[in-house]
Amino acid sequence: MSACQYSYRSLRALGVCNGPPEYSDVSAFQRPAGTTRNFAWSSDGSTFAYAESNSVTVTRADSHEVLCTVDVPAVVTVALSPKGSFFSTWERMVKTADGSQHKNLRVWSTNTGQEVASFTQKSYDGWDLQYTEDEMRAVRCVANEVHIYDTSDFTKGIADKLRADGVAAVSLSRGRNPSVAVFVPESKGAPASLRTHHLETLSSVNAQKTFYKADKVQIKWNQSGTMLLFLTQTDVDKTGKSYYGETGLYLMSASGAFDCRVTLDREGTIHDFTWSPNDKEFVVTYGYMPAKTTIFDHRVNVVHDFGISPRNFVAFNPQGRLLCLAGFGNLAGEIDIYDRKTLKKLTTFDAPNTSTCQWSPDGRYLLCATLSPRLRVDNGIKLFHHTGALVHVQDMEELYQAGWRPADASLFPFRQSLSPAPAPSAQYASSTPTKPPVKAMGAYRPPGARGQPASNLFKREDEGGEPHVFQASPARNEPIEFGPRKPRTIPGMAPKDATQSNQENGKSKKKKEPKTPRPNRRNGTEDPDSSFLAPDTGPNSPAPSTGPATPARASTPSTPMRPPAVQALNDSNNNIVSLSPEDKKRRALTKKLSSIQQLKDRRARGEKLELTQIQKISAEPDVVKELKELAALDLNGKA
């Protein structure tokens, strides 16, 4: 199924009235014969282009008149300028026969179908030129420079350029006085930076922000082009708390009058963020799942907190009246719709396996599509009203792209009260009864726990469970788990204490009494280190003394036992004497000789030794020499 087929089917009526969309095909549009994997609209919705395997066709959106068709071998994607005067194509890099660089980025004139410019663009990220709203200037990021082109005549080459060593991303703002945001990642210990320049005066810096932990950036301007939000991200989280790197969100004005970091009160990744169409607010969803969603004003003050829920997608409708919070990707696909005016939830519905979600230009419908190759099954589109009603379903064998035709949001103002849901489409209404109902399976529960409320151990935080707290290993500076440590319990069974368990088993456990220190047989005193001396129980051990009994001593507090790590010896009077440095060295060398002898025995038995073990054996003469030197020092000291 071609990608552009649905895009023309879906929204023909929404561009001219506030009624429900028409779901029939547009008869004036000539469906392409081959498979199309990519299409593009101009920002004003006047021009439409789609790419086939080896060609690109551009048509007018109203009359569907074909403006031009150009042959482009192995085209991958296509893009249109804001007013549709130019379109760009990108091909994969190939080696040319003459060894010259392949000009895989090509710019074409929509009216004539002639190529007006070509460039070498290796990376697919940010491949297209960025145009001003009046299409008078085009911006392109190259190695260490930002180039500005005059679109009236591309043959003149670069009209202006900005030198920026290490530049990785460029973003052009909207509005009549556009600005350029230039991002340079951190390198060789220097912090990353983001600067803004006015397009007409590139040499001067209007605003600048430096920061660390930024390998790449995602920039979003407000509609007037006066402020921007940018999300910084690293590929690796050095703290070990996340597989997806570290993220940070910053707000900055294009003029430099205000900039700050958006402080978030929940630890974890920033999943999504977006501006409100009123340019005064933005919404962020962030933190470990279940994530938290908050609305901030343009001075980073909290306006409203939506609480925690499994959501990773946020989108205002074009009028700014409704807000969509959804959980896609590895989440279940739940969608919440809020009224921004009252901050109340209107509805919650499910759209599982959604690959793309977009508001309609009139702000009343949500398009949820399942695309290939993200998912190879259940491809198609679903149209939901903002009240949660499913009004249309279109199943397709393979769907690569889906989207609404752009339109001016001011043509569809919202009334004081929200409109009710329209009747479902005839196609969806007729096919719904034939589909078997889907039975909700839920999570598996063992037979002994069925029919009982679930334990809080298995609930999410937003469902009443305990909050997840990051814990680090005390022995190593590494993370070990997320969540509080809990004893092992059987789901559905009340825990038993030790007393109750012993009484049921008819057993009583007694505490072990501490052992009394053994008396010293030589002088009748207690040896505090006697616990470390093995008792002499061999066949040649002396018999117990039969002499007069030693008088009993007054009871004294027992000396606490020292750990085996304490290095000490007993002298002739059984007094504790600490080892001297020479004794410690002699003992270490003796131990090393013993291990060397063991290795020599293993080699004599035919065992294969490692290189480090062979080197250890070769060091035996040095060990013997050191022992002899220590013995000589002892003799000299006694003399």
Side-chain angles (χ1 to χ4, degrees):
M1 182 67 67
S2 66
C4 62
Q5 178 182 347
Y6 165 68
S7 64
Y8 271 88
R9 174 190 295 120
S10 60
L11 269 200
R12 188 171 60 133
L14 283 180
V16 296
C17 65
N18 289 337
E22 295 183 6
Y23 310 105
S24 59
D25 292 346
V26 178
S27 58
F29 174 68
Q30 298 295 327
R31 184 183 301 183
T35 299
T36 60
R37 295 177 179 266
N38 180 263
F39 69 82
W41 294 95
S42 59
S43 299
D44 59 359
S46 62
T47 312
F48 177 78
Y50 60 89
E52 297 182 78
S53 300
N54 295 302
S55 65
V56 175
T57 302
V58 184
T59 65
R60 296 190 186 276
D62 293 330
S63 61
H64 307 291
E65 174 190 355
V66 176
L67 296 176
C68 65
T69 299
V70 296
D71 295 331
V72 184
V75 60
V76 175
T77 186
V78 63
L80 278 163
S81 61
K83 294 185 177 181
S85 302
F86 304 95
F87 68 95
S88 306
T89 59
W90 187 83
E91 313 158 26
R92 290 188 176 89
M93 292 284 295
V94 296
K95 292 184 179 180
T96 57
D98 56 356
S100 61
Q101 286 188 334
H102 178 210
K103 305 290 187 179
N104 62 326
L105 170 57
R106 305 163 73 179
V107 183
W108 311 77
S109 172
T110 301
N111 296 327
T112 62
Q114 299 295 320
E115 181 179 330
V116 296
S118 62
F119 311 94
T120 299
Q121 178 67 29
K122 296 182 180 179
S123 175
Y124 179 76
D125 296 331
W127 67 272
D128 192 21
L129 281 71
Q130 301 181 51
Y131 297 86
T132 58
E133 290 187 352
D134 57 5
E135 295 185 346
M136 296 300 296
R137 293 287 187 270
V139 179
R140 182 170 179 263
C141 178
V142 297
N144 300 323
E145 287 183 345
V146 179
H147 292 174
I148 312 298
Y149 296 90
D150 186 356
T151 58
S152 61
D153 190 358
F154 275 98
T155 58
K156 294 181 179 180
I158 302 172
D160 197 359
K161 66 180 178 180
L162 172 67
R163 179 71 181 181
D165 294 336
V167 59
V170 170
S171 179
L172 180 64
S173 71
R174 306 175 185 176
R176 297 181 178 179
N177 299 313
S179 299
V180 178
V182 180
F183 169 70
V184 178
E186 56 182 317
S187 175
K188 299 180 180 179
S193 65
L194 190 139
R195 307 194 304 266
T196 60
H197 304 259
H198 195 275
L199 194 60
E200 300 300 330
T201 57
L202 286 177
S203 58
S204 61
V205 179
N206 295 338
Q208 182 172 359
K209 181 74 174 178
T210 58
F211 40 86
Y212 285 95
K213 298 181 180 180
D215 297 331
K216 50 189 175 182
V217 70
Q218 181 182 355
I219 304 173
K220 292 186 179 181
W221 292 87
N222 60 359
Q223 288 193 353
S224 58
T226 57
M227 303 191 75
L228 71 156
L229 287 164
F230 58 95
L231 174 69
T232 62
Q233 186 174 1
T234 60
D235 294 329
V236 178
D237 185 357
K238 296 182 179 180
T239 63
K241 298 181 180 180
S242 173
Y243 293 107
Y244 308 103
E246 297 180 77
T247 55
L249 186 63
Y250 298 85
L251 174 67
M252 186 169 67
S253 63
S255 61
F258 179 80
D259 68 85
C260 74
R261 178 167 183 168
V262 181
T263 304
L264 305 174
D265 57 355
R266 188 173 178 85
E267 191 176 12
T269 307
I270 299 173
H271 304 287
D272 197 10
F273 66 102
T274 187
W275 280 99
S276 171
N278 61 14
D279 286 356
K280 299 179 181 179
E281 296 175 348
F282 62 94
V283 60
V284 188
T285 176
Y286 55 94
Y288 297 121
M289 286 295 167
K292 189 174 185 180
T293 305
T294 306
I295 296 180
F296 298 89
D297 63 8
H298 64 289
R299 287 296 182 264
V300 200
N301 299 314
V302 176
V303 176
H304 182 71
D305 183 0
F306 291 99
I308 55 176
S309 58
R311 304 290 182 264
N312 59 4
F313 173 83
V314 292
F316 278 100
N317 73 337
Q319 291 74 18
R321 176 68 182 274
L322 301 176
L323 176 63
C324 169
L325 305 182
F328 298 135
N330 58 349
L331 299 179
E334 283 187 340
I335 299 177
D336 297 330
I337 304 297
Y338 287 87
D339 186 355
R340 175 58 191 90
K341 187 175 182 179
T342 61
L343 293 174
K344 294 182 179 180
K345 183 189 293 187
L346 298 179
T347 184
T348 298
F349 55 92
D350 294 332
N353 301 330
T354 296
S355 303
T356 181
C357 180
Q358 296 179 14
W359 280 104
S360 61
D362 69 342
R364 291 162 173 81
Y365 298 88
L366 268 176
L367 180 149
C368 297
T370 302
L371 306 179
S372 179
R374 173 67 175 82
L375 286 175
R376 297 288 188 179
V377 296
D378 297 334
N379 281 196
I381 59 97
K382 294 180 180 179
L383 289 184
F384 293 91
H385 192 255
H386 64 77
T387 58
L390 181 60
V391 297
H392 183 66
V393 175
Q394 183 71 37
D395 296 326
M396 299 182 184
E397 184 177 354
E398 276 188 316
L399 180 63
Y400 301 105
Q401 188 178 355
W404 303 94
R405 173 184 173 182
D408 188 0
S410 61
L411 300 175
F412 315 98
F414 265 66
R415 301 186 182 95
Q416 187 71 14
S417 59
L418 299 175
S419 59
S425 65
Q427 178 184 358
Y428 171 62
S430 61
S431 61
T432 301
T434 61
K435 294 184 178 181
V438 179
K439 182 179 179 181
M441 300 300 295
Y444 171 78
R445 304 192 67 188
R450 293 172 185 172
Q452 300 179 8
S455 172
N456 289 339
L457 296 173
F458 307 102
K459 291 183 179 180
R460 296 197 309 259
E461 185 178 350
D462 58 325
E463 295 178 346
E466 298 184 12
H468 289 267
V469 180
F470 179 81
Q471 297 179 348
S473 171
R476 298 177 298 174
N477 189 18
E478 296 178 357
I480 53 176
E481 63 176 344
F482 291 92
R485 302 172 187 259
K486 301 180 178 69
R488 294 184 62 183
T489 58
I490 300 177
M493 175 179 287
K496 298 179 180 180
D497 55 4
T499 304
Q500 179 182 358
S501 177
N502 293 335
Q503 290 177 355
E504 291 180 359
N505 297 331
K507 300 179 181 179
S508 60
K509 295 183 180 179
K510 296 182 179 180
K511 295 183 178 179
K512 293 184 179 180
E513 298 180 358
K515 294 182 179 179
T516 57
R518 297 179 60 184
N520 194 320
R521 298 176 181 177
R522 296 182 180 179
N523 52 11
T525 59
E526 293 182 0
D527 182 8
D529 284 338
S530 60
S531 60
F532 299 107
L533 301 176
D536 192 359
T537 58
N540 300 325
S541 60
S545 175
T546 57
T550 304
R553 294 184 308 155
S555 60
T556 57
S558 60
T559 305
M561 294 187 299
R562 294 180 291 117
V566 178
Q567 298 172 346
L569 291 176
N570 293 352
D571 60 2
S572 58
N573 296 326
N574 206 33
N575 296 324
I576 300 174
V577 179
S578 299
L579 289 175
S580 64
E582 292 78 6
D583 293 336
K584 293 180 181 179
K585 188 173 182 180
R586 185 183 296 107
R587 188 173 63 176
L589 292 173
T590 305
K591 186 177 179 180
K592 187 177 293 186
L593 276 178
S594 176
S595 62
I596 290 175
Q597 185 61 38
Q598 293 177 2
L599 291 175
K600 292 170 67 176
D601 295 342
R602 290 174 55 187
R603 185 173 62 180
R605 291 194 299 266
E607 295 185 18
K608 185 178 180 181
L609 302 181
E610 297 181 359
L611 180 61
T612 55
Q613 295 173 331
I614 298 175
Q615 292 176 352
K616 189 173 183 179
I617 293 176
S618 63
E620 182 180 11
D622 298 335
V623 178
V624 175
K625 182 180 178 181
E626 291 185 19
L627 276 175
K628 291 181 180 180
E629 291 176 354
L630 288 175
L633 289 175
D634 290 343
L635 292 175
N636 294 334
K638 292 179 180 181

